[in-house]
């Protein structure tokens, strides 16, 4: 547990403090707050207002869905699904999602448990992100960062 890092609570997958993250390769490699995830999305969204950290052609490659059997919308680090691209994270003790919609809205959420029966946000957080972005919300027009 890092300084100022949240406490993780057991749920789907058992005790989060018994995980051996050093043996999981890329899994569990990013400890982040939702605001940091949103800043990352703003750096790869190809929208005006903030320079991207990657060339446009590289971002296009990241969003190009793989053609292999069973790819199910998976591109290079992102899932591309209709009017949105997204990424998630889920292990015992944590669940997070970053979704960027074609209308320019990005939504990031994180919780410090993983509910029983969770399938890595597909049944919970993604529908919530869809509902938030399609709700009648007056979004600020100024830069929130």
């Amino acid at each position: 547990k890092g300084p100022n890092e949240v406490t993780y609570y057991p749920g789907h997958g058992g005790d989060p403090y018994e995980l051996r993250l050093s043996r999981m390769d890329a899994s569990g490699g990013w400890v982040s707050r939702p605001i940091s995830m949103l800043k990352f999305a703003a750096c790869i969204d190809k929208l005006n207002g903030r320079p991207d950290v990657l060339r446009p052609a590289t971002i296009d490659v990241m969003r190009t869905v793989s053609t292999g059997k069973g790819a199910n919308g998976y591109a290079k680090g992102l899932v591309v699904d209709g009017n949105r691209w997204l990424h998630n994270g889920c292990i015992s003790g944590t669940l997070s999602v970053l979704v960027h919609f074609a209308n320019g809205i990005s939504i990031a959420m994180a919780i410090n448990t993983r509910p029983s029966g969770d399938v890595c946000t597909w049944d919970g957080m993604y529908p919530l992100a869809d509902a938030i972005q399609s709700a009648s919300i007056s979004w600020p027009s100024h830069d929130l960062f």
Side-chain angles (χ1 to χ4, degrees), residues 10-22:
H12 181 77
D15 184 348
Y17 292 100
E18 291 180 2
L19 294 173
R20 294 182 65 188
L21 295 178
S22 63

Side-chain angles (χ1 to χ4, degrees), residues 8-9 11 16 18 23 32 34 38 40 44 50 53 69 77 79-80 89 95-96 98 106 108 118 121 125 132 144:
Y8 301 102
Y9 295 96
E18 291 180 2
R23 297 188 58 145
S32 179
L38 291 170
F40 174 74
I44 62 167
R50 174 176 315 280
V53 296
K69 182 179 179 182
V79 173
V80 179
L95 187 60
S96 63
L98 170 64
S106 293
D118 172 70
T121 72
M125 293 175 109
I132 291 169
L144 297 174

